[in-house]
């Protein structure tokens, strides 16, 4: 890829990007034709100027002068029209391409397994989906077609110059190799500089996004000064990346301007001598035309270098975006069975799994949960409780073993239909910056407002929601910051309830909430667990005591299994010790 090759241009990557223009091929062709016509219009203007000087101004023919002036005005009008069409449709094409590319990228990211997001910075992914793709648009609006147009213009101009005077053309060509070499070196240096800029932009976005999200921790632990220093350091690296581009521009453009001035001087010197010597091949009009033609020849070179910078930035961004698109990190969805409803029988058979290679978290887990049962999982932090949930809905791929749902290998069921039958209420509830209604329904078209309100009444949270300003239309802001943790939990319970799942998972859903919210959550728990298989990870005694089966985990293994009373009967049992240490004091306060 271009980002690592160090080459001036990656044609393979460029061809891949052009594939996105196939849908808009007629617009692509039109812009290309407009670019060709503009190159001919560019040459026509200095030619008309030459003719006007030699056939009207020098012989002082007023009628001819008026005719040629009118002709130049007509050519200028047509050039303006085509220039407008060229710029507008080139930009239009760029926006259409990046719209499709951004949609493809987001769709691809939606399929990634959780492990990918565990190892990827959010700010970096945001950079890929937003600013990097926006940079790609400039390939079409300011890069590709502009470069093609300039190259065509240069070829036509050069051909016309040779036709008019090969001697003056040779003078121009004496300076041209020097400019071409400088442009080539400039392109390579700028490419490397822009790669550094894009890297530092991603680092900056990642740092700012994480610190803003975690601002509460930063302030609580008085890390403002340290984070400020880190930000200054990252921002300085970003500045240095841009300074490199400024440095290369500062060197190249004065060299290009000096070369142009030298060329004009040579044309005036040699051409003037030939005119004074009475040459018929080189006239005053030809000298004036050559001055303008040489500008047309060299100016595109300078512009091409500048636009090539834009193209390079777009290509670097495209390389990064395609890097994400080429990432194979999705859960293998090879199941063929579509299910509308499950009884809820769950069986884990000899499951081995770890989040990191060679670091096993679950070590041969086996258990069954019959339809309609409530199974509680208890154990110390890091025992592997939440991992069981992550594997049930296939957020991660198991290393070994089989998970059966209603006697069917879960891998034989399509991901969409499997997950549609499982609702999860997590300890850390995530709410979008939207209304309570939309956070409950997640914009599901089949969940009506009336059904949500009825469900809220069923589990006892309607009164709480109605008390908020705007009720169900209350905007909870980013991550639900306008609600308490207990209120967010209640919204999560209602979200799970209205989805009418066959299997319900509660991952420590009653932790870190006040006593009033806990009562509401307990009532909601009793309601939504009725008639469906429920897996509950909880430290609260009431939930554990009511479970049909309790799995006691330690260091990735199930060390005990049974109901509350059975486990308490075991002498020196793990659960009994856990109960006495963690739950006895809680029971005394009830």
């Amino acid at each position: 890829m271009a980002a690592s090759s160090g080459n001036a241009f990656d044609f393979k990557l460029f061809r891949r990007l052009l594939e996105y223009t196939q849908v808009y091929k007629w617009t692509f062709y039109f812009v290309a034709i407009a670019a060709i016509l503009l190159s001919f219009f560019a040459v026509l203007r200095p030619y008309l100027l030459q003719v006007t000087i030699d056939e009207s101004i020098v012989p002082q023919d007023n009628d001819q002068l008026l005719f040629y002036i009118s002709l130049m005005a007509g050519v200028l009008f047509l050039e303006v029209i085509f220039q407008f069409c060229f710029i507008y449709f080139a930009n239009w094409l760029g926006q259409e391409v990046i719209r499709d590319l951004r949609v493809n990228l987001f769709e691809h990211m939606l399929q990634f397994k959780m492990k990918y997001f565990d190892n990827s910075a959010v700010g970096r992914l945001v950079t890929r989906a937003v600013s990097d793709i926006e940079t790609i648009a400039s390939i079409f609006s300011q890069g590709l077609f502009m470069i093609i147009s300039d190259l065509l213009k240069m070829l036509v101009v050069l051909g016309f110059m040779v036709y008019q005077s090969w001697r003056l053309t040779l003078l121009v060509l004496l300076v041209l190799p020097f400019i071409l070499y400088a442009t080539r070196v400039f392109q390579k240096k700028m490419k490397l500089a822009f790669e550094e800029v894009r890297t530092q932009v991603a680092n900056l976005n990642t740092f700012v996004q994480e610190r803003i999200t975690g601002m509460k921790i930063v302030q609580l632990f008085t890390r403002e000064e340290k984070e400020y220093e880190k930000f200054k350091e990252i921002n300085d690296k970003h500045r240095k990346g841009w300074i490199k581009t400024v440095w290369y521009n500062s060197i190249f453009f004065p060299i290009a301007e000096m070369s142009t001035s030298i060329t004009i001087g040579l044309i005036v010197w040699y051409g003037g001598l030939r005119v004074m010597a009475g040459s018929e091949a080189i006239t005053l009009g030809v000298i004036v035309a050559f001055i303008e033609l040489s500008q047309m020849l060299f100016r595109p070179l300078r512009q091409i270098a500048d636009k090539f910078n834009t193209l390079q930035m777009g290509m670097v961004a495209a390389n990064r975006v395609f890097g994400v698109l080429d990432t194979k990190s999705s859960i293998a969805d090879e199941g063929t069975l579509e299910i509308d409803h499950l009884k809820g029988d769950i069986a884990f058979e000899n499951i081995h799994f770890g989040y990191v290679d060679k670091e096993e978290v679950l070590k041969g887990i086996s258990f069954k949960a019959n339809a309609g049962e409530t199974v509680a999982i208890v154990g110390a932090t890091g025992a592997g409780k939440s991992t069981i949930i992550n594997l049930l809905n296939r957020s991660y791929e198991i290393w070994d073993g089989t998970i059966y749902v209603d006697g069917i290998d879960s891998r034989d069921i399509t991901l969409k239909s499997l997950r549609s039958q499982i609702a999860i209420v997590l300890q850390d509830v995530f709410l979008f910056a939207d209304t309570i209604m939309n956070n409950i329904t997640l914009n599901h078209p089949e969940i009506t407002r009336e059904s949500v309100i009825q469900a809220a009444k069923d589990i006892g949270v309607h009164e709480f929601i109605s008390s908020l300003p705007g009720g169900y239309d209350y905007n909870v802001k980013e991550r639900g910051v306008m609600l308490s943790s207990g209120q967010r939990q209640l919204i999560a319970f209602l979200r799970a309830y209205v989805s009418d799942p066959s299997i319900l998972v509660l991952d420590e859903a009653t932790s870190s909430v006040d006593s009033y919210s806990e009562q509401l959550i307990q009532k909601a728990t009793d309601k939504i667990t009725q008639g469906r298989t429920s897996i509950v990870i909880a430290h609260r005694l009431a939930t554990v005591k009511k479970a049909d089966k309790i799995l006691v985990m330690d260091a990735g293994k199930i060390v005990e299994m049974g109901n509350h009373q059975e486990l308490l009967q075991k002498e020196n049992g793990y659960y009994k010790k856990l109960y006495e240490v963690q739950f006895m004091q809680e029971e005394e306060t009830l």
Side-chain angles (χ1 to χ4, degrees), residues 370-416:
N370 297 321
E373 280 188 341
T374 296
V375 177
I377 306 176
V378 299
T381 301
K385 305 185 297 296
S386 297
T387 302
I388 289 177
I389 296 170
N390 292 333
L391 298 182
L392 177 61
N393 66 5
R394 296 194 64 200
S395 292
Y396 297 84
E397 292 280 26
I398 58 177
W399 290 1
D400 193 19
T402 307
I403 299 174
Y404 292 98
V405 181
D406 283 1
I408 305 169
D409 188 332
S410 62
R411 288 168 291 197
D412 293 333
I413 305 171
T414 62
L415 272 176
K416 184 176 180 179

Side-chain angles (χ1 to χ4, degrees), residues 465-532:
I465 296 176
S466 299
S467 67
L468 297 171
Y472 289 86
D473 296 317
Y474 180 64
N475 194 308
V476 301
K477 304 302 181 183
E478 188 174 1
R479 299 183 68 89
V481 295
M482 303 304 291
L483 302 177
S484 68
S485 58
Q487 290 171 330
R488 291 196 294 270
Q489 288 286 5
L490 290 170
I491 298 300
F493 269 84
L494 187 52
R495 176 194 287 169
Y497 185 55
V498 297
S499 67
D500 192 26
S502 301
I503 299 171
L504 177 68
V505 177
L506 306 178
D507 187 358
E508 302 199 32
T510 58
S511 63
S512 303
V513 298
D514 57 84
S515 57
Y516 175 70
S517 296
E518 183 183 350
Q519 292 175 7
L520 290 176
I521 290 172
Q522 192 58 57
K523 179 182 177 181
T525 301
D526 294 340
K527 180 67 178 178
I528 68 176
T529 55
Q530 289 178 6
R532 55 174 55 92

Side-chain angles (χ1 to χ4, degrees), residues 350-353 360-366 553-558:
N350 195 32
I351 299 300
H352 292 263
F353 171 76
E360 201 170 36
V361 175
L362 296 183
K363 305 171 183 177
I365 294 292
S366 296
M553 295 192 65
D554 182 40
K557 295 181 179 180
I558 297 176

Side-chain angles (χ1 to χ4, degrees), residues 102 105 109 123-134 198-199 202 317 320-321 324:
R102 185 178 281 126
L105 179 65
M109 288 195 296
R124 197 173 298 276
L125 291 177
V126 171
T127 301
R128 300 292 174 267
V130 182
S131 62
D132 277 345
I133 287 189
E134 201 62 42
R198 296 311 305 169
T199 298
R320 298 181 187 277
V321 170
V324 178

Side-chain angles (χ1 to χ4, degrees), residues 265-305:
L266 289 173
I267 291 172
V268 173
W269 168 73
Y270 180 77
L273 290 176
R274 298 291 294 177
V275 170
M276 288 186 290
S279 171
E280 294 182 359
I282 300 178
T283 63
L284 185 61
V286 170
I287 293 175
V288 173
F290 256 78
I291 291 174
E292 188 168 349
L293 288 168
S294 65
Q295 293 283 342
M296 287 184 176
L297 187 64
F298 290 157
R299 190 184 305 121
L301 271 179
R302 298 199 300 271
Q303 291 176 347
I304 283 175

Side-chain angles (χ1 to χ4, degrees), residues 330-344:
S330 58
I331 296 290
D333 189 9
E334 298 175 353
T336 57
L337 297 177
E338 295 278 353
I339 52 174
D340 297 325
H341 182 74
L342 290 171
K343 291 188 299 180

